[in-house]
Amino acid sequence: MNTPRPRATLARFWPLLLLAALVAGAWASGATRLLSFEALGQHRAALDGWVAARPVVAAGAYVLAYVGVVALSLPGGVVMTLAGGLLFGPWVGTALTVVGATVGACLLFLAARSALAPLVAGRAAGLVDRIRPGLERDGFFYLLTLRLIPVVPFWLANLAPALVGMPFGAYAAATFLGIIPGTAVFSGIGAGLGDILAAGGRPELGIIFSPPILLPLLGLAALSLIGAWWRKRNSNA
């Protein structure tokens, strides 16, 4: 009977070990405390000065930070998105956030497809099973719908496709396209956040569920479902 070689076992589980170490480091260092409205308001002047002095470096640092937040499934993604709009404006903030979130989600996808699969499958089996049929039947369009209307947690939408064997290319494309509308909404809110933070307040995030914003998102989600229906219709023809 063949036994797994130690090196082979380590090579399989190194993504899990690295991810655990990074998550532990983020919490131990207090970095997660920076992902709050209070911290954003406290450091806003310094961040504005840094962006004005070194815009390219600041933009790169923001993208890398967003990659880390998503890949490690840390809380604070909404705060990061609002900060992107506040610091870089709604359009550049949206672009930077979409790049960072997509890269982070893809890294988590790749990790989940290897060493993380048994762990995640056991702990989130019930949630994964609820969306498994749709992902297996219409992977791209179904995930696109989930991204357009965040009816499931973002971390689950990142992990579940890997656990059901969704192709990486379709996952990356659906993630990139699907998060653009919601990101644009929050970046736009963030762009007008200055006065609210100066007064020590918090933004009204429930605005995303108001009809002027929610209805267009529902319309885009409906279009993605029509795409899934059209593909199924042609395959049965």
Side-chain angles (χ1 to χ4, degrees):
M1 181 178 180
N2 295 329
T3 57
R5 295 181 179 180
R7 290 185 178 179
T9 302
L10 182 61
R12 178 185 175 188
F13 285 100
W14 76 261
L16 176 60
L17 298 174
L18 177 60
L19 188 62
L22 291 174
V23 171
W27 284 99
S29 66
T32 55
R33 291 195 294 271
L34 297 176
L35 302 174
S36 66
F37 294 115
E38 292 75 15
L40 182 59
Q42 181 181 354
H43 299 289
R44 184 204 167 186
L47 291 171
D48 281 338
W50 188 39
V51 171
R54 298 186 175 182
V56 176
V57 174
Y62 174 80
V63 170
L64 288 177
Y66 212 110
V67 169
V69 167
V70 174
L72 301 179
S73 296
L74 297 176
V78 172
V79 175
M80 285 287 294
T81 304
L82 294 171
L86 176 66
L87 297 174
F88 302 101
W91 302 114
V92 175
T94 296
L96 295 176
T97 298
V98 169
V99 171
T102 301
V103 173
C106 288
L107 291 177
L108 185 58
F109 175 94
L110 295 174
R113 201 165 60 177
S114 56
L116 290 177
L119 177 64
V120 177
R123 292 184 176 272
L127 294 173
V128 172
D129 287 342
R130 292 181 184 180
I131 60 178
R132 179 187 295 274
L135 286 173
E136 291 180 337
R137 183 180 62 252
D138 301 298
F140 173 83
F141 291 105
Y142 191 83
L143 180 59
L144 183 61
T145 303
L146 295 182
R147 297 298 195 191
L148 290 169
I149 306 178
V151 294
V152 298
F154 192 67
W155 65 267
L156 180 61
N158 290 339
L159 293 171
L163 300 179
V164 303
M166 184 175 179
F168 176 76
Y171 170 85
T175 297
F176 177 81
L177 295 174
I179 65 176
I180 290 176
T183 300
V185 170
F186 282 114
S187 291
I189 296 173
L193 197 58
D195 292 339
I196 295 175
L197 289 176
R202 286 172 172 262
E204 179 53 58
L205 300 181
I207 191 174
I208 197 171
F209 296 109
S210 63
I213 293 176
L214 183 59
L215 291 179
L217 293 178
L218 291 173
L220 290 173
L223 288 177
S224 70
L225 292 177
I226 291 174
W229 169 80
W230 183 260
R231 189 185 68 84
K232 182 178 179 180
R233 179 178 179 274
N234 288 340
S235 64
N236 293 334

